[in-house]
Amino acid sequence: MWCHAEFEKTDGPTHEYLESTPSCWAAFGEVLAREYENGPLFAAAHRYTVDAYAVQHPGKPERRQIQSVWVHLVALYALFEENCPPRVAKKRMERLANKKDELEWLDPPDFSNTPNVISVLNTTTDEEHVAVAKAWAQSLWEAWYTKHKDAINQKIQKR
Ligand SMILES: [Zn+2]
């Protein structure tokens, strides 16, 4: 699977178009639950977690997946290239979603050397959770941006 996260095989639900194994989807659910339970953790880490997971599970070259990857890349651009706070990143995503017909599929980078959801799941303190979620998002951002810098810059500037 995309993210190279290694789990014992289990049965269970997965997301409709973010392609993952049931175990990976369940691990993501656990990480999200931790963030929803804890206000400060949610504020500091949730944007990173959601964007990282989405761009690490790009799925197939179909409309919804293409749009999903792009809106999360736009958020990551705002977070890491412009140091915007999460609420600004969210606004950028909403703006891009209005232009969904202009978006094209980007061939995903190699994720074999990036962290994955297990890295965040295995953290034991809030501080660590935030730091690892940020590092996860940043390494994915760098993988995508290195591979598609021109295409991403063009789309961001046209916005
Ligand atoms: Zn996965």
Side-chain angles (χ1 to χ4, degrees):
M1 271 298 178
W2 288 108
C3 66
H4 299 267
E6 304 273 353
F7 295 99
E8 305 242 340
K9 285 212 169 66
T10 57
D11 290 327
T14 58
H15 187 268
E16 213 182 327
Y17 58 85
L18 298 178
E19 276 184 3
S20 76
T21 60
S23 317
C24 183
W25 182 245
F28 180 54
E30 253 182 80
V31 168
L32 292 185
R34 234 187 261 167
E35 293 175 358
Y36 284 124
E37 272 164 22
N38 177 333
L41 200 56
F42 183 87
H46 189 62
R47 186 74 268 146
Y48 297 129
T49 300
V50 170
D51 294 331
Y53 197 84
V55 302
Q56 199 169 31
H57 297 84
K60 294 183 202 67
E62 290 168 5
R63 190 182 50 80
R64 282 182 310 182
Q65 289 93 317
I66 292 170
Q67 189 187 348
S68 164
V69 166
W70 267 107
V71 298
H72 292 286
L73 287 178
V74 163
L76 290 167
Y77 183 98
L79 294 171
F80 292 110
E81 299 301 315
E82 303 180 306
N83 292 311
C84 294
R87 72 185 155 72
V88 175
K90 188 138 192 289
K91 280 216 179 83
R92 299 282 175 78
M93 296 170 79
E94 286 159 8
R95 238 190 280 168
L96 188 82
N98 296 331
K99 302 195 166 189
K100 58 189 175 203
D101 297 336
E102 296 174 22
L103 304 173
E104 74 277 7
W105 170 256
L106 299 176
D107 192 29
D110 176 21
F111 299 125
S112 51
N113 292 313
T114 52
N116 55 52
V117 70
I118 297 176
S119 319
V120 185
L121 190 65
N122 286 345
T123 61
T124 52
T125 65
D126 289 1
E127 293 72 25
E128 203 193 344
H129 182 119
V130 174
V132 171
K134 182 174 184 180
W136 179 31
Q138 183 152 19
S139 78
L140 289 169
W141 167 244
E142 283 163 8
W144 277 98
Y145 199 45
T146 301
K147 185 157 184 181
H148 294 294
K149 195 164 190 168
D150 291 345
I152 293 171
N153 284 345
Q154 243 179 19
K155 197 67 71 191
I156 305 264
Q157 279 150 18
K158 268 189 5 191
R159 198 182 51 225

